[in-house]
Amino acid sequence: MGSVTISELRLPYLIRCGGKAPGQNRDLLLFNNMALRRCHLNPKKTLFLLCDIQEKFRPAMPLFDNMVKNADKLTKAGKALDVPLIVTEHYPEKLGKTVEQLDISHAKLVSGKTYFSMFTPEVKAAIKELFNDKPEDVVLYGLESHICVEQTAIDFLQQNINVYIVADCCSSRLNQDRDLALDRLRQAGCVITTSESVIFDLVRDKNNPKFDAIRKLVSPPSVDMKLTRQPSDSDVGSSKL
């Protein structure tokens, strides 16, 4: 049996975008896809992407304050763990800057954009400078889930970069748009996760020198974002009466 390429591991995504399934066993490919997506995060090979959490969006977004609190925890943890951060602001001339509650002083780039995706020429250049090529994983959070976050995720998947979507740090004007976007992104090959899951996966060990700083951040629980879980294929027929 031949080796399986990363592009082949993106089988569900490739088919959705018009690609053809390779002539290998689908079950094997899907299993390998799961194995790829569940690798541990490495702070030196991971990039945080904070997408358009701007003040002008606050009145229109349900649970905006909750999202900001969770994003604040995640962003501070990334800073403590020396994970590089890139921040975008959508049309900041009209929509304003990133909310003041988020400390982005350590960001490697804060860039305005008109593209919906964060994968702009400025961001591409910053990534190349940071990683010489590209990170293994990106941790993506912000808004809106079904527009800028979704398009950003797809662009990074096309670069064969693993994408972690931090669900409790994402928002849309309608919760249904957020939840359905998360479901689409899961099917496309993203890992749908939470802020604390990302943080602890980066730390890995209580003896990590940064653990005391992280412990203070995670002592208060994350704030509930009223997420709903869409059933997967494996759930079908599994309910018990």
Side-chain angles (χ1 to χ4, degrees):
M1 183 179 294
S3 61
V4 180
T5 67
I6 291 179
S7 293
E8 289 169 339
L9 294 175
R10 298 297 185 196
L11 178 64
Y13 169 75
L14 290 171
I15 292 173
R16 188 170 69 84
C17 291
K20 294 183 179 179
Q24 292 176 311
N25 185 279
R26 283 171 174 258
D27 291 338
L28 174 63
L29 292 174
L30 291 172
F31 174 82
N32 278 282
N33 190 27
M34 292 292 290
L36 174 71
R37 292 189 283 118
R38 291 182 183 275
C39 292
H40 290 297
L41 292 169
N42 182 336
K44 294 181 179 180
K45 298 179 180 181
T46 300
L47 174 66
F48 276 17
L49 296 171
L50 193 164
C51 183
D52 307 349
I53 303 182
Q54 294 158 255
E55 189 61 43
K56 283 281 189 177
F57 291 116
R58 186 186 297 269
M61 301 285 168
L63 305 172
F64 186 92
D65 291 340
N66 289 5
M67 177 198 65
V68 169
K69 289 176 182 177
N70 293 338
D72 180 52
K73 175 193 291 188
L74 181 62
T75 305
K76 286 177 177 174
K79 181 178 181 179
L81 295 167
D82 299 317
V83 179
L85 170 70
I86 288 177
V87 178
T88 58
E89 296 167 341
H90 193 75
Y91 196 22
E93 299 85 353
K94 292 292 185 181
L95 298 175
K97 298 293 185 181
T98 302
V99 295
E100 293 182 356
Q101 295 99 312
L102 298 179
D103 177 10
I104 57 171
S105 60
H106 62 293
K108 303 300 182 181
L109 175 71
V110 179
S111 179
K113 66 180 178 65
T114 57
Y115 290 101
F116 295 123
S117 172
M118 292 181 71
F119 201 59
T120 64
E122 295 80 9
V123 170
K124 293 177 191 177
I127 290 173
K128 188 173 183 179
E129 183 175 346
L130 284 168
F131 294 94
N132 294 322
D133 182 18
K134 61 186 180 182
E136 285 188 1
D137 307 291
V138 295
V139 173
L140 173 60
Y141 55 109
L143 50 90
E144 287 186 66
S145 310
H146 64 297
I147 304 173
C148 297
V149 170
E150 182 170 340
Q151 292 187 29
T152 300
I154 289 172
D155 284 341
F156 276 89
L157 287 175
Q158 287 183 314
Q159 303 302 311
N160 291 326
I161 297 171
N162 299 318
V163 179
Y164 289 72
I165 306 291
V166 191
D168 63 338
C169 297
C170 290
S171 185
S172 293
R173 284 173 292 172
L174 291 176
N175 285 340
Q176 65 195 32
D177 277 330
R178 177 201 60 188
D179 294 342
L180 290 170
L182 294 175
D183 191 41
R184 287 192 298 273
L185 290 169
R186 180 185 290 109
Q187 293 176 27
C190 296
V191 178
I192 309 302
T193 186
T194 62
S195 53
E196 286 201 3
S197 180
V198 168
I199 293 167
F200 280 102
D201 199 31
L202 287 165
V203 174
R204 296 294 306 284
D205 189 337
K206 179 188 177 299
N207 292 326
N208 187 312
K210 305 292 180 67
F211 180 75
D212 283 345
I214 296 301
R215 179 175 54 81
K216 295 175 183 176
L217 292 173
V218 298
S219 289
S222 297
V223 187
D224 182 46
M225 287 294 292
K226 298 183 180 179
L227 291 159
T228 62
R229 179 178 176 274
Q230 299 296 322
S232 66
D233 291 341
S234 62
D235 293 330
V236 176
S238 63
S239 299
K240 294 182 179 180
L241 297 177

